[in-house]
Amino acid sequence: MAVLSRYRTATGAGVLTALVLVLVFGSPWYRNWAADHTNPDTAGGWFLRLLGWPAWRFDSNDTFGDVLADDLKAILLIVLTGVFLMLTTGQQLARARGTLSQFFAGWSAYIFAAALAALLTTFIRSNPSLLTAFQSAGNGALYGLFTGWIIGITTLGHWRGTT
């Protein structure tokens, strides 16, 4: 395992983890399961439902703009995670391999990516407003806060692409 992690970058590991989180937990099947089998009034049920926040779907009774916004939000979450990981795990952390600073860099990158993805895609929805954009960004930041630790763990100890 140590040999494999030496050749994998922190950005690549974080993006791969974000992709898995979005594909598995953002899927309509998982969200339907969570809605049917969890209690939103318990901490575990709330968290399992929160995992489905980057929802993606292909068919729905909603407007085209809403479906496009959800799908684009899921894609932007993955792309922006990569962008923020590249920005936060560069030269400034080159000597901090495996430390808590790398963990927090990965975690914060996911928080920022989720908030920005939600903010940007709000304006594609039907009847967008600045208030709904702020609320969406807050929901994205909440999702990133409670799930970003997963990204932080996967970026720990990985090479940052510096020489």
Side-chain angles (χ1 to χ4, degrees):
M1 181 67 181
V3 173
L4 292 176
S5 68
R6 187 176 72 177
Y7 297 108
R8 194 175 322 143
T9 65
T11 302
V15 169
L16 182 63
T17 305
L19 178 67
V20 170
L21 283 173
V22 169
L23 286 179
V24 173
F25 296 110
S27 70
W29 306 284
Y30 173 80
R31 289 191 335 269
N32 290 339
W33 175 85
D36 294 341
H37 295 92
T38 61
N39 181 359
D41 296 328
T42 64
W46 178 84
F47 180 73
L48 289 173
R49 288 174 182 232
L50 180 69
L51 281 173
W53 176 83
W56 54 268
R57 56 202 167 148
F58 294 112
D59 59 351
S60 176
N61 295 332
D62 290 341
T63 65
F64 175 74
D66 290 344
V67 173
L68 178 66
D70 284 341
D71 293 345
L72 188 59
K73 177 179 68 177
I75 293 167
L76 276 176
L77 176 59
I78 297 165
V79 171
L80 290 172
T81 298
V83 168
F84 285 123
L85 280 172
M86 280 192 300
L87 293 174
T88 60
T89 59
Q91 287 283 1
Q92 69 273 20
L93 292 179
R95 295 186 186 142
R97 182 182 176 110
T99 63
L100 283 179
S101 61
Q102 191 173 5
F103 171 75
F104 286 118
W107 192 351
S108 65
Y110 204 57
I111 294 171
F112 293 136
L116 188 58
L119 181 72
L120 293 175
T121 57
T122 300
F123 297 106
I124 299 172
R125 297 188 178 281
S126 55
N127 300 322
S129 71
L130 192 57
L131 176 62
T132 57
F134 289 164
Q135 290 170 337
S136 294
N139 290 337
L142 182 70
Y143 167 78
L145 178 66
F146 283 99
T147 60
W149 59 270
I150 299 168
I151 306 295
I153 287 174
T154 61
T155 60
L156 268 176
H158 289 289
W159 181 68
R160 286 168 203 80
T162 60
T163 56

Short mmCIF file of all heavy atoms in Angstrom, two decimals, residues 24-89:
data_model
loop_
_atom_site.label_atom_id
_atom_site.label_comp_id
_atom_site.label_asym_id
_atom_site.label_seq_id
_atom_site.Cartn_x
_atom_site.Cartn_y
_atom_site.Cartn_z
N VAL A 24 -22.15 7.11 -6.21
CA VAL A 24 -22.87 6.15 -5.37
C VAL A 24 -23.98 6.84 -4.57
O VAL A 24 -25.15 6.46 -4.65
CB VAL A 24 -21.90 5.42 -4.42
CG1 VAL A 24 -22.65 4.56 -3.42
CG2 VAL A 24 -20.93 4.57 -5.23
N PHE A 25 -23.62 7.84 -3.79
CA PHE A 25 -24.59 8.43 -2.87
C PHE A 25 -25.49 9.48 -3.52
O PHE A 25 -26.54 9.80 -2.98
CB PHE A 25 -23.88 9.02 -1.65
CG PHE A 25 -23.18 7.97 -0.84
CD1 PHE A 25 -21.80 7.91 -0.81
CD2 PHE A 25 -23.90 7.04 -0.12
CE1 PHE A 25 -21.15 6.94 -0.07
CE2 PHE A 25 -23.26 6.06 0.63
CZ PHE A 25 -21.88 6.01 0.65
N GLY A 26 -25.08 10.02 -4.67
CA GLY A 26 -25.93 10.98 -5.36
C GLY A 26 -26.89 10.32 -6.33
O GLY A 26 -27.72 10.99 -6.95
N SER A 27 -26.79 9.00 -6.46
CA SER A 27 -27.63 8.29 -7.42
C SER A 27 -29.09 8.28 -6.97
O SER A 27 -29.38 8.31 -5.77
CB SER A 27 -27.13 6.86 -7.59
OG SER A 27 -27.39 6.11 -6.42
N PRO A 28 -30.01 8.22 -7.92
CA PRO A 28 -31.43 8.15 -7.56
C PRO A 28 -31.76 6.91 -6.72
O PRO A 28 -32.62 6.98 -5.85
CB PRO A 28 -32.15 8.09 -8.91
CG PRO A 28 -31.16 8.59 -9.91
CD PRO A 28 -29.81 8.30 -9.36
N TRP A 29 -31.06 5.81 -6.94
CA TRP A 29 -31.33 4.58 -6.20
C TRP A 29 -30.98 4.74 -4.73
O TRP A 29 -31.75 4.34 -3.86
CB TRP A 29 -30.57 3.41 -6.82
CG TRP A 29 -30.86 3.29 -8.28
CD1 TRP A 29 -32.00 2.79 -8.84
CD2 TRP A 29 -30.04 3.74 -9.34
NE1 TRP A 29 -31.93 2.89 -10.21
CE2 TRP A 29 -30.73 3.47 -10.55
CE3 TRP A 29 -28.78 4.33 -9.43
CZ2 TRP A 29 -30.20 3.77 -11.80
CZ3 TRP A 29 -28.27 4.64 -10.67
CH2 TRP A 29 -28.98 4.35 -11.83
N TYR A 30 -29.83 5.32 -4.45
CA TYR A 30 -29.45 5.53 -3.06
C TYR A 30 -30.39 6.52 -2.38
O TYR A 30 -30.82 6.31 -1.26
CB TYR A 30 -27.99 6.01 -2.93
CG TYR A 30 -27.67 6.37 -1.49
CD1 TYR A 30 -27.37 5.38 -0.57
CD2 TYR A 30 -27.74 7.69 -1.04
CE1 TYR A 30 -27.12 5.69 0.76
CE2 TYR A 30 -27.49 8.01 0.29
CZ TYR A 30 -27.19 7.00 1.17
OH TYR A 30 -26.97 7.31 2.49
N ARG A 31 -30.69 7.61 -3.06
CA ARG A 31 -31.56 8.62 -2.46
C ARG A 31 -32.94 8.06 -2.17
O ARG A 31 -33.54 8.38 -1.13
CB ARG A 31 -31.63 9.86 -3.35
CG ARG A 31 -30.34 10.65 -3.34
CD ARG A 31 -30.47 12.02 -4.00
NE ARG A 31 -31.52 12.12 -4.98
CZ ARG A 31 -31.38 11.88 -6.29
NH1 ARG A 31 -30.22 11.51 -6.76
NH2 ARG A 31 -32.39 12.03 -7.11
N ASN A 32 -33.47 7.24 -3.06
CA ASN A 32 -34.77 6.61 -2.81
C ASN A 32 -34.69 5.66 -1.62
O ASN A 32 -35.59 5.61 -0.78
CB ASN A 32 -35.26 5.86 -4.05
CG ASN A 32 -35.66 6.80 -5.15
OD1 ASN A 32 -35.97 7.97 -4.93
ND2 ASN A 32 -35.65 6.30 -6.38
N TRP A 33 -33.59 4.90 -1.54
CA TRP A 33 -33.41 4.01 -0.41
C TRP A 33 -33.34 4.80 0.90
O TRP A 33 -33.96 4.43 1.89
CB TRP A 33 -32.13 3.18 -0.57
CG TRP A 33 -31.86 2.34 0.64
CD1 TRP A 33 -32.36 1.11 0.92
CD2 TRP A 33 -31.06 2.73 1.77
NE1 TRP A 33 -31.90 0.69 2.14
CE2 TRP A 33 -31.10 1.66 2.69
CE3 TRP A 33 -30.31 3.85 2.08
CZ2 TRP A 33 -30.44 1.70 3.90
CZ3 TRP A 33 -29.64 3.89 3.29
CH2 TRP A 33 -29.70 2.82 4.19
N ALA A 34 -32.56 5.87 0.91
CA ALA A 34 -32.40 6.68 2.12
C ALA A 34 -33.73 7.31 2.53
O ALA A 34 -34.04 7.39 3.72
CB ALA A 34 -31.34 7.75 1.91
N ALA A 35 -34.51 7.76 1.56
CA ALA A 35 -35.80 8.36 1.88
C ALA A 35 -36.78 7.34 2.47
O ALA A 35 -37.58 7.67 3.35
CB ALA A 35 -36.40 8.99 0.64
N ASP A 36 -36.69 6.10 1.99
CA ASP A 36 -37.62 5.06 2.45
C ASP A 36 -37.19 4.36 3.73
O ASP A 36 -38.04 3.85 4.46
CB ASP A 36 -37.81 4.00 1.36
CG ASP A 36 -38.50 4.54 0.12
OD1 ASP A 36 -39.16 5.61 0.22
OD2 ASP A 36 -38.38 3.90 -0.94
N HIS A 37 -35.90 4.31 4.02
CA HIS A 37 -35.41 3.47 5.10
C HIS A 37 -34.69 4.21 6.22
O HIS A 37 -34.10 3.56 7.10
CB HIS A 37 -34.48 2.39 4.55
CG HIS A 37 -35.19 1.43 3.64
ND1 HIS A 37 -35.24 1.62 2.28
CD2 HIS A 37 -35.88 0.31 3.91
CE1 HIS A 37 -35.93 0.64 1.74
NE2 HIS A 37 -36.33 -0.18 2.70
N THR A 38 -34.68 5.51 6.20
CA THR A 38 -34.01 6.25 7.28
C THR A 38 -34.97 7.24 7.90
O THR A 38 -35.93 7.69 7.28
CB THR A 38 -32.77 7.01 6.77
OG1 THR A 38 -33.17 7.96 5.78
CG2 THR A 38 -31.75 6.06 6.19
N ASN A 39 -34.69 7.57 9.14
CA ASN A 39 -35.50 8.52 9.88
C ASN A 39 -34.74 9.85 9.93
O ASN A 39 -33.66 9.92 10.52
CB ASN A 39 -35.76 8.00 11.30
CG ASN A 39 -36.62 8.93 12.11
OD1 ASN A 39 -37.03 10.00 11.67
ND2 ASN A 39 -36.89 8.52 13.34
N PRO A 40 -35.29 10.91 9.33
CA PRO A 40 -34.57 12.19 9.32
C PRO A 40 -34.45 12.84 10.70
O PRO A 40 -33.71 13.79 10.87
CB PRO A 40 -35.38 13.06 8.37
CG PRO A 40 -36.75 12.48 8.40
CD PRO A 40 -36.57 11.00 8.64
N ASP A 41 -35.16 12.31 11.69
CA ASP A 41 -35.11 12.87 13.04
C ASP A 41 -34.02 12.25 13.90
O ASP A 41 -33.92 12.56 15.08
CB ASP A 41 -36.47 12.72 13.72
CG ASP A 41 -37.56 13.51 13.00
OD1 ASP A 41 -37.23 14.57 12.42
OD2 ASP A 41 -38.71 13.05 12.99
N THR A 42 -33.22 11.35 13.32
CA THR A 42 -32.08 10.78 14.04
C THR A 42 -30.80 11.25 13.36
O THR A 42 -30.81 11.61 12.17
CB THR A 42 -32.13 9.24 14.03
OG1 THR A 42 -32.01 8.79 12.68
CG2 THR A 42 -33.41 8.72 14.65
N ALA A 43 -29.71 11.24 14.10
CA ALA A 43 -28.43 11.70 13.53
C ALA A 43 -27.99 10.82 12.38
O ALA A 43 -27.52 11.31 11.35
CB ALA A 43 -27.36 11.74 14.62
N GLY A 44 -28.13 9.51 12.53
CA GLY A 44 -27.73 8.60 11.46
C GLY A 44 -28.57 8.76 10.21
O GLY A 44 -28.05 8.78 9.09
N GLY A 45 -29.87 8.88 10.39
CA GLY A 45 -30.76 9.08 9.25
C GLY A 45 -30.50 10.40 8.55
O GLY A 45 -30.51 10.48 7.32
N TRP A 46 -30.28 11.43 9.34
CA TRP A 46 -29.98 12.74 8.76
C TRP A 46 -28.70 12.68 7.93
O TRP A 46 -28.63 13.21 6.82
CB TRP A 46 -29.85 13.78 9.87
CG TRP A 46 -29.49 15.14 9.39
CD1 TRP A 46 -30.35 16.09 8.90
CD2 TRP A 46 -28.17 15.70 9.30
NE1 TRP A 46 -29.63 17.21 8.54
CE2 TRP A 46 -28.30 17.00 8.77
CE3 TRP A 46 -26.92 15.23 9.64
CZ2 TRP A 46 -27.20 17.82 8.57
CZ3 TRP A 46 -25.83 16.05 9.44
CH2 TRP A 46 -25.98 17.33 8.91
N PHE A 47 -27.65 12.02 8.48
CA PHE A 47 -26.39 11.93 7.77
C PHE A 47 -26.53 11.10 6.49
O PHE A 47 -25.99 11.47 5.45
CB PHE A 47 -25.31 11.33 8.67
CG PHE A 47 -23.97 11.21 7.99
CD1 PHE A 47 -23.21 12.33 7.73
CD2 PHE A 47 -23.49 9.97 7.59
CE1 PHE A 47 -21.98 12.24 7.09
CE2 PHE A 47 -22.26 9.86 6.96
CZ PHE A 47 -21.51 11.00 6.70
N LEU A 48 -27.24 9.98 6.56
CA LEU A 48 -27.42 9.15 5.37
C LEU A 48 -28.19 9.90 4.28
O LEU A 48 -27.92 9.72 3.09
CB LEU A 48 -28.13 7.85 5.73
CG LEU A 48 -27.29 6.86 6.53
CD1 LEU A 48 -28.14 5.68 6.97
CD2 LEU A 48 -26.09 6.40 5.74
N ARG A 49 -29.12 10.75 4.66
CA ARG A 49 -29.82 11.56 3.67
C ARG A 49 -28.93 12.68 3.14
O ARG A 49 -29.00 13.03 1.98
CB ARG A 49 -31.10 12.14 4.27
CG ARG A 49 -32.17 11.10 4.48
CD ARG A 49 -33.36 11.66 5.21
NE ARG A 49 -34.33 10.61 5.43
CZ ARG A 49 -35.60 10.71 5.10
NH1 ARG A 49 -36.05 11.81 4.55
NH2 ARG A 49 -36.42 9.72 5.33
N LEU A 50 -28.09 13.23 4.00
CA LEU A 50 -27.17 14.28 3.58
C LEU A 50 -26.18 13.77 2.53
O LEU A 50 -25.80 14.50 1.62
CB LEU A 50 -26.41 14.85 4.78
CG LEU A 50 -25.41 15.96 4.49
CD1 LEU A 50 -26.14 17.23 4.07
CD2 LEU A 50 -24.55 16.22 5.71
N LEU A 51 -25.77 12.51 2.64
CA LEU A 51 -24.85 11.93 1.67
C LEU A 51 -25.41 12.00 0.24
O LEU A 51 -24.65 12.02 -0.71
CB LEU A 51 -24.56 10.47 2.02
CG LEU A 51 -23.55 10.24 3.13
CD1 LEU A 51 -23.50 8.76 3.48
CD2 LEU A 51 -22.18 10.73 2.75
N GLY A 52 -26.72 12.06 0.09
CA GLY A 52 -27.33 12.13 -1.23
C GLY A 52 -27.47 13.54 -1.78
O GLY A 52 -28.10 13.74 -2.82
N TRP A 53 -26.85 14.53 -1.14
CA TRP A 53 -27.00 15.92 -1.59
C TRP A 53 -26.55 16.16 -3.02
O TRP A 53 -27.25 16.86 -3.76
CB TRP A 53 -26.26 16.87 -0.62
CG TRP A 53 -26.28 18.28 -1.08
CD1 TRP A 53 -27.29 19.18 -0.87
CD2 TRP A 53 -25.28 18.96 -1.83
NE1 TRP A 53 -26.97 20.38 -1.45
CE2 TRP A 53 -25.74 20.27 -2.05
CE3 TRP A 53 -24.05 18.59 -2.34
CZ2 TRP A 53 -25.00 21.22 -2.75
CZ3 TRP A 53 -23.31 19.53 -3.05
CH2 TRP A 53 -23.79 20.82 -3.24
N PRO A 54 -25.42 15.62 -3.48
CA PRO A 54 -25.05 15.90 -4.88
C PRO A 54 -25.87 15.06 -5.85
O PRO A 54 -25.35 14.25 -6.61
CB PRO A 54 -23.56 15.56 -4.93
CG PRO A 54 -23.39 14.50 -3.90
CD PRO A 54 -24.38 14.82 -2.83
N ALA A 55 -27.16 15.23 -5.78
CA ALA A 55 -28.10 14.41 -6.55
C ALA A 55 -27.92 14.60 -8.05
O ALA A 55 -27.74 15.71 -8.52
CB ALA A 55 -29.52 14.78 -6.15
N TRP A 56 -27.96 13.50 -8.76
CA TRP A 56 -27.96 13.54 -10.22
C TRP A 56 -29.09 12.64 -10.69
O TRP A 56 -29.49 11.70 -10.01
CB TRP A 56 -26.61 13.11 -10.80
CG TRP A 56 -26.12 11.77 -10.35
CD1 TRP A 56 -25.32 11.52 -9.28
CD2 TRP A 56 -26.43 10.50 -10.93
NE1 TRP A 56 -25.09 10.18 -9.17
CE2 TRP A 56 -25.75 9.53 -10.18
CE3 TRP A 56 -27.19 10.09 -12.01
CZ2 TRP A 56 -25.82 8.17 -10.47
CZ3 TRP A 56 -27.25 8.74 -12.31
CH2 TRP A 56 -26.57 7.79 -11.54
N ARG A 57 -29.62 12.96 -11.84
CA ARG A 57 -30.73 12.19 -12.39
C ARG A 57 -30.85 12.46 -13.88
O ARG A 57 -30.32 13.45 -14.38
CB ARG A 57 -32.03 12.52 -11.68
CG ARG A 57 -32.33 14.02 -11.73
CD ARG A 57 -33.24 14.43 -10.65
NE ARG A 57 -33.22 15.89 -10.59
CZ ARG A 57 -34.24 16.58 -10.24
NH1 ARG A 57 -35.35 16.00 -9.89
NH2 ARG A 57 -34.16 17.89 -10.17
N PHE A 58 -31.53 11.58 -14.57
CA PHE A 58 -31.69 11.74 -16.01
C PHE A 58 -33.13 11.98 -16.42
O PHE A 58 -33.38 12.65 -17.40
CB PHE A 58 -31.15 10.51 -16.76
CG PHE A 58 -29.68 10.37 -16.61
CD1 PHE A 58 -29.14 9.32 -15.90
CD2 PHE A 58 -28.81 11.29 -17.17
CE1 PHE A 58 -27.78 9.18 -15.76
CE2 PHE A 58 -27.45 11.17 -17.03
CZ PHE A 58 -26.93 10.10 -16.32
N ASP A 59 -34.06 11.46 -15.68
CA ASP A 59 -35.46 11.71 -16.02
C ASP A 59 -36.21 12.14 -14.76
O ASP A 59 -35.94 11.68 -13.67
CB ASP A 59 -36.11 10.46 -16.63
CG ASP A 59 -36.06 9.27 -15.71
OD1 ASP A 59 -35.38 9.33 -14.67
OD2 ASP A 59 -36.69 8.26 -16.03
N SER A 60 -37.11 13.04 -14.96
CA SER A 60 -37.85 13.58 -13.83
C SER A 60 -39.04 14.35 -14.35
O SER A 60 -39.13 14.70 -15.53
CB SER A 60 -36.94 14.50 -13.02
OG SER A 60 -37.67 15.10 -11.99
N ASN A 61 -39.94 14.65 -13.46
CA ASN A 61 -41.08 15.50 -13.79
C ASN A 61 -40.76 16.97 -13.62
O ASN A 61 -41.58 17.82 -13.91
CB ASN A 61 -42.29 15.12 -12.94
CG ASN A 61 -42.78 13.72 -13.23
OD1 ASN A 61 -42.62 13.22 -14.35
ND2 ASN A 61 -43.38 13.09 -12.25
N ASP A 62 -39.55 17.26 -13.13
CA ASP A 62 -39.13 18.65 -12.94
C ASP A 62 -38.80 19.29 -14.28
O ASP A 62 -38.71 18.63 -15.31
CB ASP A 62 -37.89 18.71 -12.04
CG ASP A 62 -38.21 18.34 -10.61
OD1 ASP A 62 -39.39 18.38 -10.23
OD2 ASP A 62 -37.27 17.99 -9.87
N THR A 63 -38.58 20.59 -14.26
CA THR A 63 -38.22 21.31 -15.48
C THR A 63 -36.83 20.90 -15.93
O THR A 63 -36.02 20.40 -15.16
CB THR A 63 -38.24 22.83 -15.24
OG1 THR A 63 -37.23 23.16 -14.29
CG2 THR A 63 -39.60 23.29 -14.75
N PHE A 64 -36.56 21.13 -17.20
CA PHE A 64 -35.26 20.80 -17.76
C PHE A 64 -34.14 21.55 -17.03
O PHE A 64 -33.08 21.00 -16.77
CB PHE A 64 -35.23 21.13 -19.26
CG PHE A 64 -33.88 20.93 -19.88
CD1 PHE A 64 -33.40 19.66 -20.13
CD2 PHE A 64 -33.08 22.02 -20.21
CE1 PHE A 64 -32.15 19.46 -20.69
CE2 PHE A 64 -31.84 21.83 -20.77
CZ PHE A 64 -31.37 20.55 -21.02
N GLY A 65 -34.38 22.80 -16.68
CA GLY A 65 -33.36 23.60 -15.98
C GLY A 65 -33.02 23.02 -14.62
O GLY A 65 -31.85 23.03 -14.21
N ASP A 66 -34.01 22.50 -13.90
CA ASP A 66 -33.74 21.91 -12.59
C ASP A 66 -32.95 20.61 -12.69
O ASP A 66 -32.03 20.36 -11.91
CB ASP A 66 -35.05 21.67 -11.83
CG ASP A 66 -35.71 22.96 -11.39
OD1 ASP A 66 -35.04 24.00 -11.39
OD2 ASP A 66 -36.90 22.92 -11.04
N VAL A 67 -33.31 19.78 -13.67
CA VAL A 67 -32.57 18.52 -13.87
C VAL A 67 -31.15 18.83 -14.31
O VAL A 67 -30.19 18.23 -13.80
CB VAL A 67 -33.29 17.62 -14.90
CG1 VAL A 67 -32.46 16.41 -15.24
CG2 VAL A 67 -34.66 17.21 -14.38
N LEU A 68 -30.98 19.78 -15.23
CA LEU A 68 -29.65 20.17 -15.68
C LEU A 68 -28.82 20.74 -14.53
O LEU A 68 -27.63 20.44 -14.40
CB LEU A 68 -29.75 21.19 -16.82
CG LEU A 68 -28.43 21.73 -17.37
CD1 LEU A 68 -27.66 20.61 -18.05
CD2 LEU A 68 -28.69 22.87 -18.32
N ALA A 69 -29.44 21.54 -13.68
CA ALA A 69 -28.73 22.14 -12.55
C ALA A 69 -28.25 21.06 -11.59
O ALA A 69 -27.12 21.13 -11.08
CB ALA A 69 -29.62 23.14 -11.83
N ASP A 70 -29.08 20.05 -11.32
CA ASP A 70 -28.66 18.98 -10.42
C ASP A 70 -27.50 18.18 -11.01
O ASP A 70 -26.53 17.87 -10.32
CB ASP A 70 -29.83 18.04 -10.11
CG ASP A 70 -30.81 18.65 -9.13
OD1 ASP A 70 -30.43 19.59 -8.41
OD2 ASP A 70 -31.96 18.18 -9.07
N ASP A 71 -27.61 17.85 -12.28
CA ASP A 71 -26.54 17.08 -12.92
C ASP A 71 -25.25 17.90 -13.01
O ASP A 71 -24.16 17.38 -12.75
CB ASP A 71 -26.96 16.62 -14.32
CG ASP A 71 -28.09 15.60 -14.26
OD1 ASP A 71 -28.35 15.05 -13.17
OD2 ASP A 71 -28.72 15.36 -15.31
N LEU A 72 -25.37 19.16 -13.35
CA LEU A 72 -24.20 20.02 -13.44
C LEU A 72 -23.57 20.25 -12.06
O LEU A 72 -22.35 20.32 -11.94
CB LEU A 72 -24.57 21.35 -14.09
CG LEU A 72 -23.43 22.30 -14.42
CD1 LEU A 72 -22.45 21.63 -15.37
CD2 LEU A 72 -23.98 23.58 -15.04
N LYS A 73 -24.41 20.32 -11.02
CA LYS A 73 -23.89 20.49 -9.66
C LYS A 73 -23.02 19.29 -9.28
O LYS A 73 -21.94 19.45 -8.71
CB LYS A 73 -25.04 20.65 -8.68
CG LYS A 73 -24.62 20.74 -7.22
CD LYS A 73 -25.80 20.93 -6.30
CE LYS A 73 -26.64 19.69 -6.28
NZ LYS A 73 -27.77 19.75 -5.36
N ALA A 74 -23.46 18.09 -9.62
CA ALA A 74 -22.69 16.89 -9.31
C ALA A 74 -21.36 16.88 -10.07
O ALA A 74 -20.31 16.55 -9.51
CB ALA A 74 -23.51 15.64 -9.64
N ILE A 75 -21.40 17.28 -11.34
CA ILE A 75 -20.18 17.32 -12.14
C ILE A 75 -19.24 18.41 -11.63
O ILE A 75 -18.03 18.20 -11.48
CB ILE A 75 -20.53 17.54 -13.63
CG1 ILE A 75 -21.26 16.33 -14.19
CG2 ILE A 75 -19.28 17.84 -14.45
CD1 ILE A 75 -21.90 16.55 -15.53
N LEU A 76 -19.79 19.58 -11.35
CA LEU A 76 -18.96 20.68 -10.85
C LEU A 76 -18.34 20.35 -9.49
O LEU A 76 -17.21 20.79 -9.20
CB LEU A 76 -19.78 21.97 -10.74
CG LEU A 76 -19.92 22.79 -11.99
CD1 LEU A 76 -20.83 23.99 -11.74
CD2 LEU A 76 -18.57 23.26 -12.48
N LEU A 77 -19.04 19.60 -8.67
CA LEU A 77 -18.48 19.21 -7.37
C LEU A 77 -17.19 18.42 -7.56
O LEU A 77 -16.19 18.68 -6.89
CB LEU A 77 -19.50 18.40 -6.58
CG LEU A 77 -19.04 17.85 -5.24
CD1 LEU A 77 -18.60 18.97 -4.31
CD2 LEU A 77 -20.14 17.03 -4.61
N ILE A 78 -17.19 17.52 -8.51
CA ILE A 78 -15.99 16.71 -8.77
C ILE A 78 -14.88 17.57 -9.37
O ILE A 78 -13.73 17.52 -8.93
CB ILE A 78 -16.33 15.54 -9.71
CG1 ILE A 78 -17.34 14.62 -9.03
CG2 ILE A 78 -15.08 14.77 -10.10
CD1 ILE A 78 -18.02 13.65 -9.96
N VAL A 79 -15.21 18.39 -10.35
CA VAL A 79 -14.21 19.24 -11.02
C VAL A 79 -13.63 20.26 -10.05
O VAL A 79 -12.40 20.45 -9.98
CB VAL A 79 -14.83 19.92 -12.26
CG1 VAL A 79 -13.89 20.97 -12.82
CG2 VAL A 79 -15.19 18.89 -13.31
N LEU A 80 -14.49 20.93 -9.30
CA LEU A 80 -14.01 21.94 -8.36
C LEU A 80 -13.22 21.34 -7.21
O LEU A 80 -12.31 21.98 -6.67
CB LEU A 80 -15.18 22.78 -7.84
CG LEU A 80 -15.82 23.71 -8.86
CD1 LEU A 80 -17.08 24.35 -8.29
CD2 LEU A 80 -14.83 24.77 -9.32
N THR A 81 -13.54 20.10 -6.84
CA THR A 81 -12.73 19.42 -5.83
C THR A 81 -11.31 19.28 -6.34
O THR A 81 -10.35 19.55 -5.61
CB THR A 81 -13.32 18.03 -5.50
OG1 THR A 81 -14.63 18.21 -4.95
CG2 THR A 81 -12.46 17.28 -4.51
N GLY A 82 -11.16 18.90 -7.60
CA GLY A 82 -9.83 18.80 -8.18
C GLY A 82 -9.11 20.14 -8.23
O GLY A 82 -7.92 20.23 -7.92
N VAL A 83 -9.83 21.18 -8.60
CA VAL A 83 -9.23 22.51 -8.69
C VAL A 83 -8.76 22.98 -7.31
O VAL A 83 -7.62 23.42 -7.14
CB VAL A 83 -10.22 23.53 -9.30
CG1 VAL A 83 -9.73 24.95 -9.13
CG2 VAL A 83 -10.48 23.21 -10.76
N PHE A 84 -9.63 22.86 -6.32
CA PHE A 84 -9.25 23.32 -4.98
C PHE A 84 -8.17 22.45 -4.36
O PHE A 84 -7.33 22.95 -3.60
CB PHE A 84 -10.47 23.40 -4.06
CG PHE A 84 -11.35 24.58 -4.35
CD1 PHE A 84 -12.69 24.42 -4.67
CD2 PHE A 84 -10.86 25.87 -4.33
CE1 PHE A 84 -13.50 25.49 -4.95
CE2 PHE A 84 -11.65 26.96 -4.61
CZ PHE A 84 -12.99 26.77 -4.92
N LEU A 85 -8.17 21.16 -4.67
CA LEU A 85 -7.09 20.30 -4.16
C LEU A 85 -5.75 20.68 -4.79
O LEU A 85 -4.73 20.68 -4.12
CB LEU A 85 -7.40 18.83 -4.41
CG LEU A 85 -8.36 18.18 -3.43
CD1 LEU A 85 -8.74 16.78 -3.89
CD2 LEU A 85 -7.76 18.14 -2.04
N MET A 86 -5.77 20.99 -6.08
CA MET A 86 -4.51 21.43 -6.72
C MET A 86 -4.02 22.72 -6.09
O MET A 86 -2.81 22.92 -5.91
CB MET A 86 -4.71 21.63 -8.22
CG MET A 86 -4.68 20.35 -9.00
SD MET A 86 -4.58 20.58 -10.78
CE MET A 86 -6.04 21.50 -11.15
N LEU A 87 -4.93 23.62 -5.75
CA LEU A 87 -4.53 24.90 -5.17
C LEU A 87 -4.04 24.75 -3.73
O LEU A 87 -3.16 25.50 -3.30
CB LEU A 87 -5.70 25.88 -5.22
CG LEU A 87 -6.14 26.33 -6.60
CD1 LEU A 87 -7.41 27.18 -6.50
CD2 LEU A 87 -5.03 27.11 -7.28
N THR A 88 -4.62 23.81 -2.98
CA THR A 88 -4.29 23.73 -1.56
C THR A 88 -3.23 22.71 -1.22
O THR A 88 -2.69 22.73 -0.12
CB THR A 88 -5.54 23.42 -0.71
OG1 THR A 88 -6.09 22.17 -1.13
CG2 THR A 88 -6.57 24.51 -0.82
N THR A 89 -2.91 21.79 -2.14
CA THR A 89 -1.92 20.76 -1.80
C THR A 89 -0.66 20.91 -2.63
O THR A 89 0.00 19.94 -2.95
CB THR A 89 -2.50 19.34 -2.00
OG1 THR A 89 -2.90 19.20 -3.36
CG2 THR A 89 -3.64 19.07 -1.07
#
